[in-house]
Amino acid sequence: MFIPFAQETPEVAEEVVEEKTLSIIDLMFSGGPGGTIIILILAVLLFFAIYIYFERIFAIKAASKTDKNFMNQIKDSVTSGNIESAKIRCAQENSPVARLTEKGISRIGSPLEDINTAIENAGRLEVYKLEKNVSVLATIAGAAPMIGFLGTVIGMVIAFHELATSSGQAEMGSLAEGIYTAMTTTVAGLIVGIIAYIGYNHVVVRTDKVVHQMEATAVDFLDLLNEPS
């Protein structure tokens, strides 16, 4: 005898699994008050690092601009004895190279050693101007990762404190704040440090090129004074 199977029509509730997406901003500030403070400090350091980098790059770029015919014009003026014309040309150029040359021109008639000393002193002043705030960039490059690691230690302390107060039965949810603090601050500190370090090295390389240009100009000027009349 055929026994029909009863059709089962259970109402199956459709579970909608919502993927919880976490933006970078939410992730960075999900570490509680301690992590938030560390992140804000690193954000300020990043702002200063970027500002100093671009400010120095623009300043160095302006300082490196020199007319290719500048030294030829100076040589012509000095050789012909037109010292005032050479000074005016240096003032028009208004660059570290021109200021060094002007310093040497203003000492013409003095012993060659005195002229060389005056140029060296002016050169040190120009290098100081070029390296303005570069040490701050280096400090940020070194301090940012350390601040990030400080956040790591704070996060671990928070996590172990939660574990200790729960007699070792803490759930992952209660440990999340400390873990977030540890991880996000480390990542943020390394990012800021890497950016500042790369920026610092680039600024140093660009500064060295200008310094080399200044040294070459000083040698050319001293050679001009050593030429037999």
Side-chain angles (χ1 to χ4, degrees):
M1 186 174 64
F2 176 73
I3 301 176
F5 291 98
Q7 282 188 329
E8 296 180 357
T9 58
E11 294 183 359
V12 180
E14 296 182 358
E15 296 182 359
V16 180
V17 179
E18 295 182 359
E19 293 185 0
K20 186 178 180 181
T21 59
L22 195 63
S23 66
I24 295 178
I25 300 297
D26 294 334
L27 180 63
M28 299 301 286
F29 291 98
S30 60
T36 301
I37 292 173
I38 298 293
I39 294 296
L40 290 175
I41 293 173
L42 291 172
V44 173
L45 292 179
L46 179 61
F47 171 79
F48 278 109
I50 293 175
Y51 172 80
I52 292 172
Y53 169 75
F54 282 105
E55 188 272 333
R56 284 295 87 201
I57 287 297
F58 290 137
I60 293 170
K61 184 177 180 181
S64 62
K65 289 183 179 180
T66 304
D67 189 355
K68 294 180 179 179
N69 296 321
F70 172 72
M71 281 308 298
N72 292 329
Q73 295 171 354
I74 295 299
K75 287 179 181 180
D76 293 339
S77 298
V78 173
T79 302
S80 62
N82 195 348
I83 304 301
E84 288 301 321
S85 176
K87 290 182 179 180
I88 293 173
R89 183 67 187 90
C90 291
Q92 291 174 343
E93 190 69 18
N94 192 25
S95 66
V97 169
R99 286 190 286 271
L100 285 185
T101 306
E102 194 276 334
K103 182 62 67 174
I105 292 172
S106 65
R107 295 294 190 274
I108 289 179
S110 302
L112 193 61
E113 184 178 350
D114 293 345
I115 297 175
N116 188 27
T117 302
I119 292 176
E120 288 180 354
N121 291 335
R124 279 193 288 268
L125 181 60
E126 293 297 333
V127 171
Y128 174 77
K129 292 178 181 178
L130 290 173
E131 294 179 345
K132 179 183 177 182
N133 293 330
V134 176
S135 60
V136 177
L137 201 59
T139 301
I140 293 174
M146 295 177 65
I147 294 174
F149 291 143
L150 174 62
T152 303
V153 175
I154 292 174
M156 290 296 98
V157 170
I158 294 173
F160 281 114
H161 176 72
E162 290 291 335
L163 194 61
T165 53
S166 61
S167 301
Q169 302 297 323
E171 298 181 356
M172 286 301 298
S174 61
L175 301 178
E177 180 177 322
I179 295 173
Y180 273 132
T181 300
M183 296 298 101
T184 56
T185 53
T186 301
V187 172
L190 290 174
I191 290 175
V192 176
I194 290 170
I195 293 174
Y197 181 73
I198 293 174
Y200 169 77
N201 281 284
H202 187 219
V203 169
V204 168
V205 170
R206 294 290 296 272
T207 302
D208 288 343
K209 289 182 179 180
V210 178
V211 172
H212 176 73
Q213 186 180 10
M214 291 163 54
E215 291 174 348
T217 302
V219 170
D220 289 343
F221 181 76
L222 292 175
D223 289 341
L224 171 63
L225 298 182
N226 280 324
E227 290 180 358
S229 55

